[in-house]
C-alpha cells in the first residue's frame, strides 16, 4: 500500500534456493552496517534488532505530521502515478498498464516489462523471469515490490523478486532504465523497476462501500489456468482489501513437442488496510506466497518449495509547520517491511530418473528487512527531496547429498546491511528547462560465519582458506545523477543525462566458497565467490528525444555505459575443475539505442512500436558480455471503439552473433511471430479477452532462454539436453473478469 509511487503497506517474505556443486555434472551442457552483526544470534533476532530504531522514528513521526494545518485531500497514494499528457519528471520512466491487451496472456509478472523499450527477460523456467535493462540483469536491477526490496533465496535466482507478485493483482509497473533518480535507490547500475498491487480503496460517498473483482483465465501454452479474487470494504476514513490468486500450469508445448518439467503451482494471499490520520494515511499489509513443484529446466535443480511471508507498515502524508522564515511545508513518506523466504530445491522430486546416489537437495532462507524515510519540499520553482533508507538481508544456504547424508554449508549465516542517505534538487530555471541534480551515499557491510559442515577431505583446503579469511567487508559508495530536459516548442523535447552508479557485490558473489551454482547464468559452469571483490562503478551517458506531432510520436534514447570493476565469472586458476568460473572484477562497456514510436491513424486505429538494441563488451579481452538480448522490435496495430479492443501484433528479434566466448555461449537465429488479441467490455462491470499467440506455430527460442538440463527422453518429452528451451508454439488463451 505505501510506496513512494503507490504508497503501500510494508512487507515481509522469505525465499530460499540453491544449486549444488555436483549437480551440473548430472546434466552437462555443451560448452557500515545498520547494526553490529552478532554471530551467536539468530537471523530473525538480528533483523528485528536492526528495525527497532526505525520503529521508534515512525512512532514519533506520526503525531508530528497530524499538526499540519492544510487538510488538502491526499493524492491517491494507493494508486501509481501514470503520466499521460504532461511531461514526466526526470529521469522519465515508462509505465506498464496492467489492462494492456498484451498482458492478458501473462502468467509471470516479469513478462509484463517486455513492452518497455530497453527491457528484456532472462528465463530459466516458466516462473523465473530475471529482468534485464539495457543489457544488465540480476542484482544490477533495483526491483521494488510494493516498496520492498526482495533478495532471492536461491543462488541460481530461481526466485527473482517479480516471482512474488501476482500478474492479476498488479496495478501498474514503472520502469526507469539507466539513469535513475537517487530517490529511487542506490546499490544498482541498471535502473529501477517498481511494481505495485492495487491497494485498498476509500469510499467517495462517506458511507461504507463494498466492491470486488473476480477473474479466471486459461492458456493453451501449458494447459494453465489462473483464478483471482479481490474484495474491498471502504469507508471515508478507513479501507480494507483482500486479494488472493492461484496459478497452475503444466508442461510447455512448443511447435513440434513438449518441454518437460516446465510447470508450476502457486497460491498468494494478501490483506491490506488503510486509515487516514490527519493529513496523512497509515497502511498495514500482510501477505503469504506458496509455490511448489516449479520446473526450472535450464538449471540442475527444480524449485520444490518456496514459501514467503511479508508484513509492511507505511505512512504517507503532508505537513505544514512554522511560519514566516521558518515555515516548512511538504510531504513525507515512511515505511518499514520484512519479507521472509523458506526455499528448497532438489534434483529428484520432479526428475525422478536421478540415481539415488546422485540425489541432492539445497534448502535456503532469505530474510529481508528495510525502511524508507523521505521528505519532499517544494518551494517556488524548486523541489527538494531528502531522505534515508536501509535494507538488511540475512541469508543461509546448504546442500545435502541424500546418498551419503553429508551436508555442506554453501553460504553460512551471511548478512548484508545497506544504509543510504540522499538529496535531490529539481528546478525549472525557465519554462523551457527542467533540471534534476541528485547525490547519494551508501554504506554496504557484509559478513559470513565460518563453514561448519563440509563434504569430506575434498573440501578441506577451500573450507580452511575461507574460514581463515577476513570475511567482514564494508564499501562506501557514491552515486550522482544529473539530468536536464529542454522543451523546444510544443512538439519536441530533449533530455540529457549523466550518472555515476555503484553496486556492491552480493552475498553469493562474495561468500560462495565452494563451486556449486550458476548464479542463474545457466551456462553449464559452476561459480565460485571471491571475498575481495570491489563494487561495480558505472558511468553513464544518455540522450533522449521526445517528439509528438499530431497523431505521431517518436521517443528514442541513445546510451553509453562504462562499468569499472564489472563482476563476471573468470576462469579460477586454483580450481581443479576447468568448468569453474570465479567472480572477478573486469572492465566492461555497453551502448545502444531503444525507444518507442507510433501513429494514431484515425479515431479507432493506432500503430505502436518499440525497438531495443544493446551491445555489451568485455574491455579486458575484447570478448562480448554474456546473455545479452539481441536487436528486437514489437509492432502492433490496435483497434479501439466502444466496448471493443483488438490488436494484431508482430514480435521479432535479430540473430545474436555477439556472444561470449568465455561462457561458451552459442549464437542464436532471428525469429518473428504474429499474435492476435481481442477484448470486449460489458459496460463497466465485465470483460472477456481472447487471443492467439504465435499464429503460424513457429519453432523458435529466444536468446535469453536457458539450455535444457532435463532428461526429456526419460520423461516422455522431446527436448534434448543442451538444447535451448524453446518458446511456446501456437496457442489460444481466454480470460473473463467481473467487477462490482
Amino acid at each position: 500500500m505505501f510506496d513512494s509511487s503507490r504508497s503501500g503497506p510494508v512487507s515481509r517474505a522469505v525465499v530460499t534456493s540453491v544449486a549444488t556443486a555436483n549437480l551440473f555434472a548430472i546434466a552437462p551442457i555443451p560448452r557500515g552496517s545498520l547494526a553490529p552483526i552478532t554471530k551467536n544470534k539468530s537471523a530473525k533476532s538480528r533483523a528485528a534488532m536492526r528495525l527497532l530504531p526505525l520503529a521508534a522514528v515512525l512512532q514519533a513521526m506520526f503525531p508530528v505530521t497530524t499538526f499540519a494545518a492544510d487538510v488538502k485531500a491526499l493524492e491517491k497514494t494507493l494508486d501509481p502515478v501514470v503520466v499521460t499528457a504532461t511531461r514526466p519528471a526526470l529521469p522519465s520512466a515508462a509505465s506498464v498498464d496492467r489492462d494492456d491487451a498484451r498482458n492478458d496472456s501473462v502468467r509471470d509478472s516479469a513478462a509484463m516489462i517486455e513492452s518497455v523499450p530497453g527491457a528484456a527477460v532472462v528465463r530459466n523456467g516458466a516462473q523465473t523471469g530475471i529482468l534485464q535493462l539495457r543489457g544488465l540483469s540480476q542484482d544490477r536491477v533495483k526491483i521494488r515490490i510494493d516498496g520492498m526490496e526482495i533478495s532471492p533465496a536461491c543462488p541460481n535466482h530461481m526466485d527473482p523478486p517479480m516471482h512474488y507478485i501476482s500478474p492479476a493483482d498488479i496495478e501498474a509497473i514503472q520502469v526507469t532504465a539507466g539513469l535513475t533518480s537517487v530517490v529511487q535507490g542506490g546499490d544498482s547500475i541498471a535502473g529501477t523497476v517498481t511494481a505495485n498491487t492495487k491497494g485498498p480503496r476509500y469510499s467517495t460517498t462517506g458511507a461504507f462501500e463494498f466492491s470486488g473483482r473476480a477473474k479466471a483465465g486459461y492458456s493453451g501454452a501449458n494447459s494453465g489456468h489462473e483464478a483471482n479474487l479481490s474484495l474491498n470494504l471502504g469507508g471515508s476514513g478507513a479501507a480494507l482489501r483482500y486479494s488472493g490468486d492461484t496459478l497452475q500450469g503444466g508442461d510447455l508445448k512448443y511447435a513440434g513437442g513438449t518441454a518437460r518439467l516446465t510447470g508450476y503451482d502457486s497460491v498468494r494471499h494478501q490483506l491490506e488496510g488503510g486509515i487516514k490520520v490527519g493529513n496523512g494515511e497509515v497502511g498495514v499489509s500482510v501477505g503469504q506466497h506458496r509455490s511448489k513443484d516449479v520446473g526450472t529446466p535450464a538449471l540442475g535443480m527444480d524449485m520444490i518449495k518456496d514459501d514467503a511471508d511479508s508484513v509492511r507498515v507505511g505512512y504517507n502524508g503532508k505537513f505544514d509547520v512554522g511560519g514566516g522564515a521558518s515555515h516548512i511545508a511538504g510531504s513525507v513518506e515512511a515505511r518499514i517491511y520484512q519479507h521472509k523466504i523458506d526455499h528448497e530445491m532438489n534434483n529428484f522430486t520432479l526428475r525422478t530418473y536421478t540415481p539415488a546416489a546422485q540425489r541432492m537437495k539445497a534448502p535456503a532462507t532469505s530474510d529481508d528487512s528495510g525502511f524508507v524515510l523521505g521528505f519532499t519540499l517544494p518551494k517556488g520553482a524548486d523541489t527538494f527531496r531528502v531522505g534515508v533508507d536501509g535494507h538488511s538481508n540475512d541469508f543461509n544456504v546448504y546442500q545435502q547429498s541424500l546418498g551419503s547424508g553429508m551436508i555442506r554449508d554453501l553460504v553460512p549465516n551471511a548478512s548484508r546491511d545497506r544504509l543510504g542517505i540522499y538529496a535531490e534538487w529539481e528546478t525549472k530555471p525557465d519554462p523551457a528547462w527542467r533540471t534534476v541534480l541528485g547525490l547519494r551515499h551508501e554504506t554496504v557491510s557484509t559478513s559470513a560465519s565460518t563453514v561448519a559442515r563440509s563434504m569430506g577431505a575434498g573440501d578441506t583446503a577451500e573450507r580452511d582458506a575461507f574460514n581463515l579469511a577476513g570475511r567482514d567487508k564494508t564499501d562506501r559508495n557514491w552515486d550522482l545523477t544529473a539530468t536536464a530536459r529542454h522543451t523546444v516548442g510544443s512538439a519536441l523535447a530533449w533530455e540529457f543525462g549523466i550518472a555515476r552508479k555503484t553496486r556492491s557485490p552480493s552475498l553469493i558473489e562474495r561468500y560462495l566458497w565452494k563451486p556449486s551454482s550458476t548464479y542463474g547464468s545457466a551456462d553449464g559452469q559452476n561459480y565460485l565467490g571471491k571475498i575481495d571483490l570491489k563494487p561495480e562503478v558505472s558511468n553513464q551517458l544518455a540522450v533522449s528525444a521526445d517528439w509528438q506531432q499530431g497523431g505521431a510520436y517518436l521517443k528514442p534514447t541513445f546510451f553509453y555505459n562504462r562499468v569499472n570493476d564489472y563482476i563476471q565469472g573468470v576462469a579460477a586458476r586454483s580450481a581443479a575443475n576447468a568448468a569453474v568460473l570465479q567472480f572477478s572484477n573486469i572492465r566492461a562497456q555497453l551502448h545502444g539505442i531503444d525507444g518507442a514510436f507510433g501513429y494514431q491513424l484515425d479515431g479507432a486505429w493506432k500503430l505502436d512500436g518499440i525497438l531495443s538494441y544493446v551491445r555489451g563488451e568485455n574491455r579486458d579481452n575484447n570478448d562480448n558480455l554474456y546473455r545479452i538480448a539481441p536487436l528486437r522490435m514489437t509492432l502492433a496495430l490496435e483497434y479501439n471503439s466502444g466496448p471493443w479492443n483488438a490488436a494484431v501484433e508482430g514480435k521479432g528479434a535479430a540473430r545474436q552473433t555477439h556472444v561470449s566466448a568465455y561462457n561458451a555461449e552459442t549464437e542464436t537465429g532471428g525469429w518473428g511471430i504474429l499474435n492476435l488479441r481481442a477484448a470486449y467490455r460489458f459496460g463497466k462491470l465485465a470483460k472477456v479477452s481472447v487471443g492467439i499467440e504465435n499464429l503460424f506455430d513457429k519453432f523458435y527460442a529466444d536468446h535469453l532462454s536457458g539450455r535444457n538440463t532435463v532428461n526429456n527422453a526419460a520423461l516422455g518429452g522431446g527436448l534434448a539436453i543442451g538444447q535451448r528451451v524453446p518458446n511456446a508454439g501456437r496457442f489460444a488463451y481466454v480470460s473473463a473478469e467481473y467487477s462490482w
Side-chain angles (χ1 to χ4, degrees), residues 617-660:
E617 299 169 282
N618 182 332
R619 292 160 49 215
D620 284 349
N621 60 9
N622 296 320
D623 193 12
N624 298 295
L625 297 182
Y626 175 63
R627 219 169 179 181
I628 303 291
L631 172 68
R632 57 206 186 279
M633 187 173 75
T634 299
L635 190 63
L637 179 63
E638 188 172 354
Y639 174 80
N640 281 289
S641 180
W644 283 102
N645 171 261
V648 179
E649 177 189 67
K651 296 179 67 175
R655 291 179 57 85
Q656 180 56 290
T657 58
H658 300 299
V659 294
S660 171

Side-chain angles (χ1 to χ4, degrees), residues 161-179:
M162 294 297 286
H163 171 68
Y164 296 100
I165 186 169
S166 165
D169 204 34
I170 288 178
E171 178 77 2
I173 301 175
Q174 275 198 337
V175 181
T176 305
L179 278 68

Side-chain angles (χ1 to χ4, degrees), residues 62-74:
F62 290 153
V64 173
T65 58
T66 61
F67 284 109
D70 184 12
V71 191
K72 237 179 182 183
L74 289 170

Side-chain angles (χ1 to χ4, degrees), residues 129-354:
I130 298 171
L131 304 188
Q132 183 176 106
L133 297 180
R134 293 180 178 168
L136 297 172
S137 55
Q138 298 286 17
D139 301 309
R140 299 180 179 95
V141 181
K142 174 73 68 177
I143 301 175
R144 285 177 169 166
I145 306 298
D146 281 337
M148 298 182 296
E149 296 182 25
I150 299 174
S151 306
C154 180
N156 277 328
H157 281 196
M158 290 180 180
D159 57 335
M162 294 297 286
H163 171 68
Y164 296 100
I165 186 169
S166 165
D169 204 34
I170 288 178
E171 178 77 2
I173 301 175
Q174 275 198 337
V175 181
T176 305
L179 278 68
T180 306
S181 164
V182 296
V183 178
Q184 292 180 289
D187 201 30
S188 65
I189 64 173
T192 300
V193 176
T194 302
N196 294 309
T197 50
K198 298 179 186 301
R201 301 296 196 264
Y202 294 95
S203 168
T204 57
T205 63
F208 276 98
E209 297 176 347
F210 178 70
S211 60
R213 189 189 72 155
K215 180 181 179 181
Y218 173 83
S219 172
N222 58 357
S223 300
H225 61 268
E226 67 165 330
N228 174 268
L229 175 67
S230 62
L231 303 171
N232 190 88
L233 180 63
S236 58
L240 184 67
R241 180 178 186 268
Y242 163 81
S243 63
D245 71 272
T246 177
L247 284 170
Q248 290 183 325
D251 289 336
L252 177 73
K253 302 167 187 175
Y254 59 88
T258 300
R260 296 303 306 273
L261 304 192
T262 51
Y264 51 87
D265 187 343
S266 67
V267 176
R268 299 178 182 88
H269 301 281
Q270 185 162 282
L271 184 64
E272 301 180 84
I275 183 169
K276 295 182 179 180
V277 179
N279 284 349
E281 183 179 17
V282 177
V284 179
S285 171
V286 292
Q288 182 186 81
H289 168 98
R290 299 290 183 265
S291 287
K292 63 179 181 179
D293 297 340
V294 179
T296 52
L299 302 171
M301 289 185 172
D302 301 301
M303 186 159 57
I304 304 307
K305 181 186 78 169
D306 192 71
D307 295 346
D309 299 286
S310 64
V311 59
R312 296 177 284 131
V313 180
Y315 173 83
N316 278 65
K318 296 183 183 296
F319 61 89
D320 191 340
V321 295
S326 61
H327 175 250
I328 301 177
S331 61
V332 60
E333 173 205 2
R335 65 174 179 269
I336 57 175
Y337 64 87
Q338 281 196 324
H339 187 272
K340 302 177 72 69
I341 307 164
D342 184 7
H343 173 94
E344 182 177 323
M345 62 181 179
N346 71 38
N347 68 342
F348 57 87
T349 297
L350 302 182
R351 306 183 195 206
T352 54
Y353 54 79
T354 304

Side-chain angles (χ1 to χ4, degrees), residues 335-388:
R335 65 174 179 269
I336 57 175
Y337 64 87
Q338 281 196 324
H339 187 272
K340 302 177 72 69
I341 307 164
D342 184 7
H343 173 94
E344 182 177 323
M345 62 181 179
N346 71 38
N347 68 342
F348 57 87
T349 297
L350 302 182
R351 306 183 195 206
T352 54
Y353 54 79
T354 304
Q358 295 179 338
R359 294 188 172 189
M360 305 191 79
K361 68 177 182 179
T365 58
S366 178
D367 187 347
D368 291 299
S369 56
F371 74 91
V372 170
L373 178 60
F375 297 88
T376 300
L377 307 169
K379 192 171 183 65
D382 302 321
T383 299
F384 300 93
R385 301 178 185 94
V386 295
V388 60

